[in-house]
Amino acid sequence: MTSPMKKILLPTDLSPVSAHALTYALPLAQRLKAEIQMLHVATKVPVDAGSPKTLPTTAADWAAQQPALAEYSEVPISYTETQGAEATDLILEACESEKPDMVVMGTRGSGGLRPGALGGVTISVIQNSEVPVLAVPDSAHYKPIKHIAYATDFNNESFNVVKTLIAFSRLLDARLTCVHVRGEHEYWDRVKRMYYEQLYSLDQVTPSLDLAILHGDNVLHSIQEFARTHEVDLMAMLNRRRDLIDSLYGHSLTREAVLHCRMPLLAFHNQVQH
C-alpha cells in the first residue's frame, strides 16, 4: 500500500523538546517509508537547552548528537536552516514551500509553554497549518502506535479525515477507533448506521475500525479516559476555525488536548482532501 505521508517536516530549535519529537518521527518515518526534512528554526528568543557554549548551531550538528539517529540510519534526512522573528511564520512558510505530508513537533504541555519556543508555537501551527501536525508531549514515552483514537462528530469533514486515518492505520498495522462524546438529544444509532454505510460504499470498512459512543459532561476528559482504559497510543482530532460556542469539536478542544494530553496528538486541518 502506498503511504499517504511520504515527507515529514520536523521543526527544531535544537532543544530537548525537539529531540523528544525526533524519537517519534524516526520510527514513524521508517514504518511509512518517508523522508524527514529537519528545519532548524532560529528566532530571536533563545532556547534553554544548556550552556550556549556547548550548544550545536545547525540542525545537522544537533542531529548528530541524538542517540536515536543511529538506530534509524536508513531513514532519509535533509537539513534546512531558517531564521526570523516568529517561529510560527517560519514553519508555515516551510509547509507552503516544501509541501510536507505531516509536521512533527514537540510540546512541553501545560505550564511549560514559553513564547517563541517550539513547545509554545505548536498550537499556533496547528491552528494555521493545512498540513496534519503531530504534537508530541515531552512527558510521552515512545511506543509503537497500535491503537489510534479519533475524536469525531461524524460530519462530512470528519469523514474525510477517517479515510486518511484508515490508510494511515493500515500502514502502521494499528486499530482505529472513532470516538464521540454523546450529547443529550443525539440519535447516534442512526448516525452510526449512516456512517458505516458511507464507509462501506467506499470499501473502507476493515476489521480494525471501530466506533465508540461515550457519555460525559467533559469532552476532553471523557476521551482521555477512553484512551487510558483502551490502551490508545495516538489521539487524533480535526481542528476547526470556529468559535467555541459554535463547535463542540473546535480548535479550542484541540488546544486543550495539546496542553493537557500526555500522549501524541495528530491534528488535521478541516480541509483534508481525499
PDB file of all heavy atoms in Angstrom, residues 30 42 59 67 96 98 101 132 135-136 160 174 178 201 208 239 245 270:
ATOM      1  N   GLN A  30      10.315   5.509   9.343  1.00  0.00           N
ATOM      2  CA  GLN A  30      10.762   4.181   8.922  1.00  0.00           C
ATOM      3  C   GLN A  30       9.573   3.318   8.515  1.00  0.00           C
ATOM      4  O   GLN A  30       9.602   2.658   7.467  1.00  0.00           O
ATOM      5  CB  GLN A  30      11.533   3.505  10.052  1.00  0.00           C
ATOM      6  CG  GLN A  30      12.063   2.124   9.694  1.00  0.00           C
ATOM      7  CD  GLN A  30      12.652   1.415  10.902  1.00  0.00           C
ATOM      8  OE1 GLN A  30      11.971   1.211  11.907  1.00  0.00           O
ATOM      9  NE2 GLN A  30      13.927   1.062  10.821  1.00  0.00           N
ATOM     10  N   ALA A  42      15.531  29.184  13.856  1.00  0.00           N
ATOM     11  CA  ALA A  42      16.307  30.080  14.713  1.00  0.00           C
ATOM     12  C   ALA A  42      15.583  31.413  14.818  1.00  0.00           C
ATOM     13  O   ALA A  42      15.375  32.103  13.819  1.00  0.00           O
ATOM     14  CB  ALA A  42      17.708  30.281  14.140  1.00  0.00           C
ATOM     15  N   ALA A  59      21.141  22.233  12.430  1.00  0.00           N
ATOM     16  CA  ALA A  59      20.321  21.037  12.601  1.00  0.00           C
ATOM     17  C   ALA A  59      21.146  19.771  12.423  1.00  0.00           C
ATOM     18  O   ALA A  59      20.962  18.788  13.142  1.00  0.00           O
ATOM     19  CB  ALA A  59      19.162  21.065  11.607  1.00  0.00           C
ATOM     20  N   PRO A  67      21.086  10.178  20.107  1.00  0.00           N
ATOM     21  CA  PRO A  67      21.306   8.725  20.058  1.00  0.00           C
ATOM     22  C   PRO A  67      20.321   7.995  19.145  1.00  0.00           C
ATOM     23  O   PRO A  67      20.677   6.991  18.523  1.00  0.00           O
ATOM     24  CB  PRO A  67      21.118   8.297  21.520  1.00  0.00           C
ATOM     25  CG  PRO A  67      21.356   9.531  22.320  1.00  0.00           C
ATOM     26  CD  PRO A  67      20.874  10.666  21.477  1.00  0.00           C
ATOM     27  N   GLU A  96       4.413  25.614   3.212  1.00  0.00           N
ATOM     28  CA  GLU A  96       3.948  26.085   1.912  1.00  0.00           C
ATOM     29  C   GLU A  96       4.940  25.746   0.807  1.00  0.00           C
ATOM     30  O   GLU A  96       4.554  25.329  -0.293  1.00  0.00           O
ATOM     31  CB  GLU A  96       3.722  27.598   1.968  1.00  0.00           C
ATOM     32  CG  GLU A  96       3.187  28.204   0.687  1.00  0.00           C
ATOM     33  CD  GLU A  96       1.780  27.766   0.357  1.00  0.00           C
ATOM     34  OE1 GLU A  96       1.044  27.369   1.282  1.00  0.00           O
ATOM     35  OE2 GLU A  96       1.411  27.801  -0.839  1.00  0.00           O
ATOM     36  N   GLU A  98       7.699  23.499   0.962  1.00  0.00           N
ATOM     37  CA  GLU A  98       8.215  22.129   0.905  1.00  0.00           C
ATOM     38  C   GLU A  98       7.128  21.075   0.738  1.00  0.00           C
ATOM     39  O   GLU A  98       7.423  19.921   0.435  1.00  0.00           O
ATOM     40  CB  GLU A  98       9.032  21.827   2.168  1.00  0.00           C
ATOM     41  CG  GLU A  98      10.215  22.760   2.380  1.00  0.00           C
ATOM     42  CD  GLU A  98      11.211  22.691   1.229  1.00  0.00           C
ATOM     43  OE1 GLU A  98      11.322  21.615   0.601  1.00  0.00           O
ATOM     44  OE2 GLU A  98      11.864  23.712   0.960  1.00  0.00           O
ATOM     45  N   ASP A 101       3.820  16.126   4.114  1.00  0.00           N
ATOM     46  CA  ASP A 101       2.553  15.446   4.364  1.00  0.00           C
ATOM     47  C   ASP A 101       2.194  15.448   5.846  1.00  0.00           C
ATOM     48  O   ASP A 101       1.045  15.197   6.208  1.00  0.00           O
ATOM     49  CB  ASP A 101       2.629  14.005   3.860  1.00  0.00           C
ATOM     50  CG  ASP A 101       2.932  13.952   2.373  1.00  0.00           C
ATOM     51  OD1 ASP A 101       2.115  14.464   1.593  1.00  0.00           O
ATOM     52  OD2 ASP A 101       3.996  13.421   2.004  1.00  0.00           O
ATOM     53  N   PRO A 132      -1.382  18.123   8.390  1.00  0.00           N
ATOM     54  CA  PRO A 132      -1.552  17.461   9.685  1.00  0.00           C
ATOM     55  C   PRO A 132      -0.326  17.660  10.571  1.00  0.00           C
ATOM     56  O   PRO A 132       0.809  17.581  10.098  1.00  0.00           O
ATOM     57  CB  PRO A 132      -1.728  15.982   9.306  1.00  0.00           C
ATOM     58  CG  PRO A 132      -2.239  16.004   7.907  1.00  0.00           C
ATOM     59  CD  PRO A 132      -1.591  17.186   7.260  1.00  0.00           C
ATOM     60  N   ALA A 135       1.668  16.495  17.459  1.00  0.00           N
ATOM     61  CA  ALA A 135       2.227  17.154  18.636  1.00  0.00           C
ATOM     62  C   ALA A 135       2.650  16.090  19.640  1.00  0.00           C
ATOM     63  O   ALA A 135       1.833  15.266  20.063  1.00  0.00           O
ATOM     64  CB  ALA A 135       1.200  18.093  19.258  1.00  0.00           C
ATOM     65  N   VAL A 136       3.933  16.112  20.021  1.00  0.00           N
ATOM     66  CA  VAL A 136       4.490  15.085  20.900  1.00  0.00           C
ATOM     67  C   VAL A 136       4.849  15.711  22.244  1.00  0.00           C
ATOM     68  O   VAL A 136       5.797  16.492  22.335  1.00  0.00           O
ATOM     69  CB  VAL A 136       5.745  14.441  20.279  1.00  0.00           C
ATOM     70  CG1 VAL A 136       6.290  13.355  21.205  1.00  0.00           C
ATOM     71  CG2 VAL A 136       5.432  13.869  18.903  1.00  0.00           C
ATOM     72  N   ASN A 160     -13.838  12.657   5.942  1.00  0.00           N
ATOM     73  CA  ASN A 160     -12.642  12.722   5.108  1.00  0.00           C
ATOM     74  C   ASN A 160     -11.389  12.366   5.906  1.00  0.00           C
ATOM     75  O   ASN A 160     -10.484  11.687   5.413  1.00  0.00           O
ATOM     76  CB  ASN A 160     -12.493  14.119   4.504  1.00  0.00           C
ATOM     77  CG  ASN A 160     -13.541  14.410   3.454  1.00  0.00           C
ATOM     78  OD1 ASN A 160     -14.065  13.502   2.821  1.00  0.00           O
ATOM     79  ND2 ASN A 160     -13.865  15.685   3.283  1.00  0.00           N
ATOM     80  N   ALA A 174      -2.296  -0.786  12.838  1.00  0.00           N
ATOM     81  CA  ALA A 174      -2.902  -0.298  14.077  1.00  0.00           C
ATOM     82  C   ALA A 174      -4.418  -0.350  13.993  1.00  0.00           C
ATOM     83  O   ALA A 174      -5.006  -0.309  12.912  1.00  0.00           O
ATOM     84  CB  ALA A 174      -2.449   1.137  14.353  1.00  0.00           C
ATOM     85  N   CYS A 178     -13.143   5.376  16.145  1.00  0.00           N
ATOM     86  CA  CYS A 178     -13.766   6.694  16.060  1.00  0.00           C
ATOM     87  C   CYS A 178     -14.575   6.903  17.339  1.00  0.00           C
ATOM     88  O   CYS A 178     -15.478   6.117  17.641  1.00  0.00           O
ATOM     89  CB  CYS A 178     -14.671   6.785  14.839  1.00  0.00           C
ATOM     90  SG  CYS A 178     -13.790   6.602  13.274  1.00  0.00           S
ATOM     91  N   SER A 201     -19.626   2.014   1.252  1.00  0.00           N
ATOM     92  CA  SER A 201     -19.751   2.428  -0.142  1.00  0.00           C
ATOM     93  C   SER A 201     -18.400   2.710  -0.775  1.00  0.00           C
ATOM     94  O   SER A 201     -18.244   2.646  -1.987  1.00  0.00           O
ATOM     95  CB  SER A 201     -20.637   3.675  -0.245  1.00  0.00           C
ATOM     96  OG  SER A 201     -19.986   4.805   0.312  1.00  0.00           O
ATOM     97  N   SER A 208     -10.232  -3.655  11.695  1.00  0.00           N
ATOM     98  CA  SER A 208      -9.518  -2.857  12.689  1.00  0.00           C
ATOM     99  C   SER A 208     -10.180  -1.507  12.947  1.00  0.00           C
ATOM    100  O   SER A 208      -9.656  -0.693  13.695  1.00  0.00           O
ATOM    101  CB  SER A 208      -8.074  -2.628  12.235  1.00  0.00           C
ATOM    102  OG  SER A 208      -8.038  -1.948  10.999  1.00  0.00           O
ATOM    103  N   ASN A 239      -9.079  19.904  13.589  1.00  0.00           N
ATOM    104  CA  ASN A 239      -9.016  21.291  14.033  1.00  0.00           C
ATOM    105  C   ASN A 239      -9.898  22.150  13.144  1.00  0.00           C
ATOM    106  O   ASN A 239      -9.777  22.137  11.926  1.00  0.00           O
ATOM    107  CB  ASN A 239      -7.574  21.799  13.959  1.00  0.00           C
ATOM    108  CG  ASN A 239      -7.478  23.273  14.278  1.00  0.00           C
ATOM    109  OD1 ASN A 239      -7.903  23.712  15.337  1.00  0.00           O
ATOM    110  ND2 ASN A 239      -6.938  24.041  13.357  1.00  0.00           N
ATOM    111  N   ILE A 245     -18.502  28.512  20.959  1.00  0.00           N
ATOM    112  CA  ILE A 245     -19.944  28.348  21.098  1.00  0.00           C
ATOM    113  C   ILE A 245     -20.509  27.568  19.919  1.00  0.00           C
ATOM    114  O   ILE A 245     -21.457  26.800  20.061  1.00  0.00           O
ATOM    115  CB  ILE A 245     -20.634  29.727  21.206  1.00  0.00           C
ATOM    116  CG1 ILE A 245     -20.181  30.418  22.489  1.00  0.00           C
ATOM    117  CG2 ILE A 245     -22.146  29.598  21.176  1.00  0.00           C
ATOM    118  CD1 ILE A 245     -20.720  31.822  22.642  1.00  0.00           C
ATOM    119  N   ASN A 270      -9.291  21.316   8.690  1.00  0.00           N
ATOM    120  CA  ASN A 270     -10.660  20.985   8.299  1.00  0.00           C
ATOM    121  C   ASN A 270     -10.879  20.881   6.803  1.00  0.00           C
ATOM    122  O   ASN A 270     -12.000  20.711   6.355  1.00  0.00           O
ATOM    123  CB  ASN A 270     -11.655  22.002   8.875  1.00  0.00           C
ATOM    124  CG  ASN A 270     -11.456  23.396   8.285  1.00  0.00           C
ATOM    125  OD1 ASN A 270     -10.451  23.666   7.630  1.00  0.00           O
ATOM    126  ND2 ASN A 270     -12.402  24.284   8.528  1.00  0.00           N
TER     127      ASN A 270
END
